[in-house]
Amino acid sequence: LVTPAEQRKPVMFTFNHMLTAVQFQTHFKCKVKSVAIKNVYNSGTFSFEPRVGWSVNTTGDGVKSDYVVSFGDDGKEFKKDSMITSGENTMILIPQALPDDAMVEMVCCPYDEENGVYLAEKKFTASLKGKVWKQKKIITYILHDKKEHNFIYLDLAAGNVEISKTEYKGYCYE
């Protein structure tokens, strides 16, 4: 039997989430209108049996969704090396091997340091084909610019990239 006085004592427990956190970051000043993750699986079942984990529903109608964080028509200003989504804007999603048509998208206006103005709105996309979101991990997609090659790109490879004047290659590592 538990008495009211005993009910008021704090109970300590450890919580480990069973999902994947997805965040966005920028490495240059810009005004962001939206960030999105598109065409990812939206339902599944978690088993507490050892080495089972998630079973994602990949068949039937409505098994994929888009997840968007919008900052309105005017967008929100972010300084160099700022987190665009973190805290309450972090996307918490089901761990999964991403479908072939999954993608990330960011709509923003880069800042022209030389002229002190925001440039026209641009939409940046990157395929998530072949990527895997693991349970209990934080994935951060980073918007970079490489002025010497006139590139702005979404980094899906944690900074492990090669850029020439004509192409960008990212190498993902765990």
Side-chain angles (χ1 to χ4, degrees), residues 73-123:
D73 292 339
D74 293 332
K76 181 177 176 181
E77 292 183 27
F78 290 92
K79 296 178 182 176
K80 181 179 179 179
D81 297 325
S82 294
M83 292 301 296
I84 296 167
T85 58
S86 62
E88 66 187 33
N89 286 328
T90 298
M91 297 177 186
I92 306 295
L93 302 168
I94 296 173
Q96 59 189 277
L98 293 158
D100 288 350
D101 60 346
M103 64 187 303
V104 294
E105 176 184 279
M106 184 182 294
V107 179
C108 73
C109 303
Y111 187 74
D112 181 346
E113 298 281 346
E114 199 171 296
N115 295 307
V117 297
Y118 285 99
L119 302 175
E121 177 180 300
K122 295 182 183 284
K123 182 188 294 184

Side-chain angles (χ1 to χ4, degrees), residues 16-170:
N16 290 313
H17 68 84
M18 299 299 161
L19 300 170
T20 302
V22 180
Q23 301 177 326
F24 288 84
Q25 183 178 13
T26 180
H27 274 288
F28 60 93
K29 184 176 179 179
C30 62
K31 188 182 292 186
V32 177
K33 294 191 174 187
S34 65
V35 292
I37 298 171
K38 297 187 170 192
N39 301 316
V40 297
Y41 297 120
N42 60 24
S43 65
T45 304
F46 182 80
S47 172
F48 286 96
E49 296 294 322
R51 291 183 274 253
V52 175
W54 281 97
S55 171
V56 177
N57 180 14
T58 61
T59 59
D61 292 335
V63 298
K64 293 181 187 175
S65 292
D66 296 347
Y67 299 90
V68 180
V69 175
S70 176
F71 296 102
D73 292 339
D74 293 332
K76 181 177 176 181
E77 292 183 27
F78 290 92
K79 296 178 182 176
K80 181 179 179 179
D81 297 325
S82 294
M83 292 301 296
I84 296 167
T85 58
S86 62
E88 66 187 33
N89 286 328
T90 298
M91 297 177 186
I92 306 295
L93 302 168
I94 296 173
Q96 59 189 277
L98 293 158
D100 288 350
D101 60 346
M103 64 187 303
V104 294
E105 176 184 279
M106 184 182 294
V107 179
C108 73
C109 303
Y111 187 74
D112 181 346
E113 298 281 346
E114 199 171 296
N115 295 307
V117 297
Y118 285 99
L119 302 175
E121 177 180 300
K122 295 182 183 284
K123 182 188 294 184
F124 300 95
T125 61
S127 173
L128 293 172
K129 179 180 180 179
K131 303 289 184 204
V132 176
W133 290 343
K134 294 183 180 177
Q135 180 178 312
K136 302 180 186 179
K137 297 294 181 184
I138 298 173
I139 308 296
T140 303
Y141 296 122
I142 304 170
L143 189 65
H144 286 276
D145 67 337
K146 290 288 185 184
K147 291 184 173 133
E148 64 273 16
H149 297 306
N150 198 27
F151 268 95
I152 296 178
Y153 63 94
L154 275 165
D155 181 7
L156 306 181
N160 193 11
V161 298
E162 290 180 12
I163 298 176
S164 71
K165 289 187 178 188
T166 58
E167 69 178 341
Y168 155 78
K169 290 181 184 177

